[in-house]
Amino acid sequence: MSEAYAAWAARWRVPLGFVLGIAFIFLSQPTVRFLVAGAIIAFVGLTLRAYAAGYLEKSRELAVSGPYHYTRNPLYLGSFFMGLGFAVAAGSWMLGLIFVGFFILIYVPVMRRERDFLRRQFGEAYDRYANSASLFFPTFRTSIRVKENCASRVKFRWERYRRNHEYEAAIGYLCALVFLVIKLRMR
């Protein structure tokens, strides 16, 4: 995909996410079983996002600690689990397919664009890190090489979590669950 498309995807990912939210409202048909299973999957994603946000100093420091040992994009991986979890919670295969398509068409180019930005910003340090940690899906066998190649002693800090506005994902999680419970009870 071209750089122009990646820039477009980066610019439009949030507004298109709202369109996906509208589809969620109309397509969701929750059942108790799917709601519980999906809420658990989404909670795993929310937890991963929170954990990653506590290590991230956007554009100031190359994040290689915590979940960044295993994947260069733990925030997007968390978002993927959240979206997938809510598709399950909504009890809609169509919503799940729409979400996966949305993720591939929007977030894959965004991750590549951010990779290129980090390479320009951090140079050789990023290249060493990129050789040790996967772009998206975790590879647990490489975490030792990340430690060796990218000496970082950064610890999780709630201050970073707040500064990265990650609490907004928690609020969104709770709102989506409340919506699904209300929709379930109205059936």
Side-chain angles (χ1 to χ4, degrees):
M1 293 183 197
S2 73
E3 177 60 33
Y5 179 78
W8 178 88
R11 187 172 37 259
W12 284 92
R13 69 181 174 203
V14 173
L16 290 173
F18 285 114
V19 172
L20 189 58
I22 292 168
F24 175 76
I25 289 169
F26 288 105
L27 295 175
S28 60
Q29 299 295 319
T31 65
V32 172
R33 192 173 85 211
F34 281 127
L35 180 58
V36 170
I40 291 168
I41 295 167
F43 186 75
V44 168
L46 179 67
T47 302
L48 178 56
R49 285 189 57 86
Y51 184 48
Y55 285 91
L56 184 61
E57 292 286 349
K58 291 182 181 176
S59 299
R60 289 189 272 179
E61 188 177 293
L62 182 61
V64 298
S65 299
Y68 293 91
H69 281 303
Y70 308 104
T71 173
R72 288 178 272 157
N73 289 287
L75 285 168
Y76 293 145
L77 183 61
S79 294
F80 181 77
F81 277 110
M82 286 184 73
L84 204 56
F86 279 116
V88 170
S92 172
W93 285 105
M94 181 179 292
L95 191 59
L97 291 173
I98 291 169
F99 170 73
V100 170
F102 171 80
F103 199 89
I104 291 168
L105 290 173
I106 300 298
Y107 282 94
V108 170
V110 168
M111 283 186 275
R112 290 181 178 151
R113 183 173 194 251
E114 289 180 5
R115 173 199 61 199
D116 295 342
F117 168 79
L118 291 171
R119 184 168 280 136
R120 285 189 306 274
Q121 176 113 0
F122 298 106
E124 187 180 317
Y126 180 79
D127 288 336
R128 283 193 313 270
Y129 171 59
N131 286 330
S132 301
S134 70
L135 181 64
F136 187 66
F137 290 109
T139 54
F140 298 101
R141 60 183 169 73
T142 62
S143 66
I144 292 169
R145 285 189 293 165
V146 171
K147 287 181 183 178
E148 291 170 355
N149 291 339
C150 307
S152 175
R153 306 284 187 257
V154 174
K155 303 283 186 211
F156 177 91
R157 299 203 37 197
W158 285 106
E159 170 188 319
R160 287 189 202 100
Y161 171 89
R162 286 188 299 279
R163 193 172 37 243
N164 288 319
H165 299 271
E166 196 54 36
Y167 54 84
E168 293 172 359
I171 292 168
Y173 173 86
L174 291 174
C175 289
L177 281 183
V178 167
F179 167 77
L180 288 173
V181 168
I182 290 170
K183 192 161 186 180
L184 177 64
R185 297 193 87 192
M186 293 176 65
R187 289 175 66 186

